[in-house]
Amino acid sequence: MIVDLRSDTVTQPTSEMLDAMLRAHAGDDVFGEDPTVNLLEAMAAELFGMEAALYCPTGTMSNQIAIKVHTQPGDEVICDQSAHVYQYEGGGMAFNSGVQSRLLPGNRGRITAEQVAAAINPDDVHKAHTSLVCLENTSNRGGGSCYDLQEIQHIRTVCDNNQLSLHLDGARLFNAIVARNESPKQYGELFHSISVCLNKGLGCPIGSILIGSQAFIKKARRVRKVFGGGMRQAGFMAACGVYALKNNIIRLQQDHDNAREIASNLIKTTFTAGILPVETNIIIFEIQAPYHAVQVAAALKEKNILTIPISPTHVRMVLHLDITANMVDYVIDTILNLQI
């Protein structure tokens, strides 16, 4: 038995999802003629109470499309210093949109309205034009931390008062929604655009949805084509997204419960110095000296438990729908008896 806790991107489609994909009706999506893609986009827009949506191959692409639509070359984008759009998208903001980043030191990946207001550049020809704020919910490097909706509302007010757009990298947004007992429409009311991954906790093999106004999505569709993201008979893949939105959201709570159960036992071990608060499906734990993160990850790998050392002193585990109750018990038993 291999327990893969490296990411929630490693999930395999369930038999029910595969069946939905096999039964899908498909057409040419670049012509707007794929009925299953059209259905998925309509479902996502309706779910968030927004006007339109665009199916993309990846979350990185949907984020990069949004940044391109919201900005002009030479602009500046405000985000947390650990944000995925800055750390893990290959310098895409600079390469694709010609914009630079204003990085803020947030609290576990979450920035405040006060920080945003202070970071906006004045109307000065010497300064880059601040045009966009990007938030990430949940925050990957924040250990799956969730924003407070009231703080997002304060950030939106700052954006409105300064003519800034507000984009949400919601790669794991449904984890936050389930953990905080919120609704997608609450987010649709706060953001100009939202990117939601289907290929993480929702269990799809690929796919992300970009949601916004009709005018925004019209521009986004053109940018997707320019980025090489125009797909043809994509309905076979979109069908898994339709299935996921119908069936795989509520079950995310099980991943959160499993993460908390493992974390409550990790803190008992001699190699764990501390754990970031576990709000959703991500565990980031600090390694106690004289041990190192690579050592701990290697020792776990010898027991067929795969993790990622994300720094010299931190290891990450991510729970997902492929992790069974027996696997959770095995991980707990292993960490409590691990020899390093």
Side-chain angles (χ1 to χ4, degrees):
M1 180 174 62
I2 296 177
V3 184
D4 196 338
L5 300 176
R6 291 173 298 168
S7 177
D8 43 8
T9 60
V10 302
T11 59
Q12 297 292 313
T14 62
S15 59
E16 294 83 2
M17 182 178 284
L18 286 171
D19 185 57
M21 294 164 70
L22 286 171
R23 292 184 291 105
H25 297 289
D28 193 319
D29 180 51
V30 174
F31 292 153
E33 295 175 355
D34 191 301
T36 310
V37 172
N38 294 342
L39 172 61
L40 174 61
E41 292 173 346
M43 284 178 61
E46 169 64 23
L47 193 61
F48 283 87
M50 302 178 84
E51 292 180 351
L54 181 68
Y55 184 46
C56 298
T58 70
T60 293
M61 179 177 281
S62 55
N63 279 333
Q64 291 300 314
I65 290 171
I67 293 169
K68 182 72 173 176
V69 174
H70 285 307
T71 64
Q72 293 293 321
D75 283 359
E76 188 164 87
V77 177
I78 296 172
C79 62
D80 181 81
Q81 61 190 6
S82 67
H84 193 279
V85 293
Y86 174 74
Q87 292 281 359
Y88 301 117
E89 297 189 5
M93 281 195 283
F95 189 88
N96 297 315
S97 299
V99 298
Q100 64 186 32
S101 307
R102 172 66 68 90
L103 304 179
L104 303 182
N107 173 20
R108 291 193 291 130
R110 301 163 301 180
I111 57 179
T112 66
E114 183 178 9
Q115 287 179 297
V116 171
I120 299 170
N121 284 330
D123 185 10
D124 182 335
V125 295
H126 301 90
K127 302 287 186 179
H129 171 64
T130 307
S131 59
L132 176 64
V133 177
C134 287
L135 307 183
E136 182 181 342
N137 197 30
T138 67
S139 169
N140 177 10
R141 288 302 296 263
S145 59
C146 304
Y147 267 94
D148 183 84
L149 274 175
Q150 188 175 20
E151 188 60 46
I152 297 176
Q153 179 62 72
H154 294 328
I155 294 172
R156 175 58 189 262
T157 299
V158 171
C159 290
D160 288 345
N161 291 340
N162 291 275
Q163 295 78 53
L164 307 182
S165 295
L166 182 60
H167 172 69
L168 176 60
D169 173 5
R172 296 181 175 90
L173 179 56
F174 283 112
N175 290 93
I177 288 171
V178 169
R180 293 294 185 96
N181 194 27
E182 298 163 343
S183 75
K185 284 185 170 63
Q186 288 175 288
Y187 286 88
E189 293 170 353
L190 290 172
F191 288 89
H192 294 101
S193 59
I194 299 173
S195 168
V196 181
C197 279
L198 302 170
N199 57 7
K200 293 186 171 68
L202 296 186
C204 297
I206 70 167
S208 179
I209 293 289
L210 181 60
I211 317 163
S213 68
Q214 290 281 5
F216 172 84
I217 293 299
K218 182 178 180 180
K219 293 178 182 178
R221 193 173 295 277
R222 171 175 285 276
V223 173
R224 186 188 69 173
K225 180 65 174 175
V226 172
F227 283 179
M231 297 177 285
R232 301 299 178 174
Q233 288 71 36
F236 296 108
M237 302 309 298
C240 69
V242 172
Y243 178 88
L245 291 181
K246 290 180 178 178
N247 297 280
N248 286 355
I249 295 175
I250 294 176
R251 65 145 305 280
L252 291 170
Q253 185 60 51
Q254 184 61 57
D255 299 338
H256 303 171
D257 294 341
N258 288 340
R260 281 192 287 270
E261 186 175 357
I262 291 173
S264 68
N265 285 277
L266 265 172
I267 198 64
K268 301 174 186 177
T269 65
T270 57
F271 56 81
T272 302
I275 304 175
L276 291 184
V278 178
E279 295 185 59
T280 51
N281 66 322
I282 298 177
I283 306 168
I284 294 180
F285 59 102
E286 184 178 3
I287 304 305
Q288 177 83 36
Y291 306 108
H292 302 282
V294 172
Q295 279 181 293
V296 173
L300 289 169
K301 186 176 182 179
E302 288 182 1
K303 301 296 184 179
N304 290 329
I305 299 171
L306 307 182
T307 63
I308 293 182
I310 60 172
S311 82
T313 56
H314 291 86
V315 174
R316 188 186 76 167
M317 295 178 171
V318 185
L319 281 296
H320 51 81
L321 60 79
D322 282 1
I323 302 301
T324 65
N326 286 340
M327 290 178 177
V328 172
D329 291 341
Y330 175 71
V331 169
I332 291 171
D333 181 67
T334 300
I335 60 177
L336 292 177
N337 296 283
L338 192 65
Q339 300 296 318
I340 302 176

